[in-house]
Amino acid sequence: MKLIMLGPPGAGKGTQAAKLSVSLNVPTLSTGHILRTAIKEGLPVGLQAKEYMDAGKLVPDEIVIGVVKDFLSKDEFKTGYILDGVPRTLVQAEILEKMGVELDAAVSIEISDEEIEHRMQGRRVCNKCGASYNIDANPPKVENICDVCGEKLVIRDDDKPETVRQRLAVYHAETEPIIGFYKERGKLLPVDGTASVEETTEKVMKALEMIK
C-alpha cells in the first residue's frame, strides 16, 4: 500500500500514519521528522529549513523534494510507504507525479480550525525519535516521557498558538488545493478526524478496504 496523508497541521496525520504503518506493515516517511533531525544534527538542509519551520512557513519545495527523493530510493520503501507531510503544495504534488511516485490513495483527515487550535495546545513530541502525543487524546504512559525511547517530551515552537494560526493560514492558502488535485485523479479518501484516535483509525481502515 502506497499512501499520502493530507490534512491541516495538528489533524493527527502523524498519529494515523504510525498506526497504519503497523496495520499495513509498510514504513512511514515523515518529512517533518527528517527535517527536524537534520536541524538537530546541524546539517545544511536542516539549517536552511529551520528559519521557515520556526516561523510557521512552508519549507521550500526544492528542500522537501530533495529529502523525499533520497528516502524513496532506499530498499525499505520499494514495496510500500506512507508519506506524511509531503506534498504540501500543488507544485510538490505535481513534482511527485512527474517523478513517477506511485500512489494508491491520498487520505485526507478533515477537522475544523477551532478543533486544531485546541489540540495543538496539548501536543507533545519527542525530539529524539519523532514520536508524537497529545495530553488529552493520545497521552504517553508516563507524563512528558516518550513511550518509544524514554526521552523527555517537548512542545515544539511551531505548536505555539500564534504560530498555529499562521500555519493554518498557510495551509488553507497553499496546501488545501492539493485535495482537489487528488480528487480529480480519483485518489482522495476523505475521513472525519474529529472523533478519537482509535475511531479515526477505524474509519481510515474501512475507507482503504474499498480500494484494496
Side-chain angles (χ1 to χ4, degrees):
M1 186 69 71
K2 298 176 179 179
L3 306 174
I4 287 177
M5 304 300 294
L6 300 176
K13 299 187 296 297
T15 298
Q16 292 303 324
K19 290 183 175 296
L20 291 173
S21 176
V22 174
S23 298
L24 300 173
N25 194 30
V26 294
T28 61
L29 175 55
S30 169
T31 51
H33 177 53
I34 291 169
L35 290 173
R36 284 191 291 275
T37 299
I39 291 171
K40 185 177 181 180
E41 295 178 356
L43 301 178
V45 67
L47 297 177
Q48 284 182 290
K50 188 176 187 302
E51 59 182 289
Y52 294 94
M53 295 173 71
D54 286 350
K57 297 180 180 179
L58 293 178
V59 178
D61 294 333
E62 59 270 19
I63 296 177
V64 175
I65 298 303
V67 172
V68 173
K69 277 184 177 180
D70 287 344
F71 274 76
L72 287 185
S73 65
K74 297 178 182 293
D75 289 340
E76 63 186 294
F77 295 103
K78 296 293 185 183
T79 58
Y81 47 77
I82 301 172
L83 296 181
D84 173 22
V86 64
R88 285 190 175 178
T89 66
L90 274 176
V91 171
Q92 289 182 9
E94 291 166 353
I95 291 174
L96 286 175
E97 188 172 73
K98 290 177 181 178
M99 283 170 52
V101 175
E102 296 180 17
L103 174 66
D104 292 310
V107 179
S108 177
I109 308 297
E110 303 188 344
I111 188 169
S112 70
D113 286 7
E114 291 75 18
E115 178 64 18
I116 289 295
E117 289 193 37
H118 173 72
R119 286 189 180 185
M120 297 288 251
Q121 291 178 9
R123 189 157 77 164
R124 304 291 184 272
V125 296
C126 176
N127 280 337
K128 182 176 181 180
C129 72
S132 181
Y133 304 86
N134 186 284
I135 58 176
D136 296 317
N138 182 38
K141 294 176 183 177
V142 178
E143 186 176 357
N144 288 326
I145 299 298
C146 179
D147 294 347
V148 179
C149 67
E151 287 292 311
K152 185 176 180 180
L153 301 176
V154 299
I155 300 174
R156 284 175 13 196
D157 287 340
D158 52 355
D159 282 345
K160 294 178 180 178
E162 61 275 14
T163 308
V164 169
R165 296 187 188 100
Q166 170 64 22
R167 293 175 67 197
L168 284 170
V170 171
Y171 168 78
H172 291 305
E174 301 290 342
T175 307
E176 202 167 42
I178 298 175
I179 292 175
F181 178 88
Y182 287 114
K183 185 176 182 179
E184 289 176 359
R185 286 154 178 76
K187 299 290 187 179
L188 186 69
L189 287 181
V191 175
D192 180 6
T194 57
S196 69
V197 171
E198 291 73 19
E199 290 174 315
T200 301
T201 302
E202 289 181 9
K203 292 178 181 179
V204 173
M205 292 302 293
K206 287 181 180 179
L208 290 176
E209 285 292 334
M210 300 173 61
I211 65 171
K212 287 184 178 180

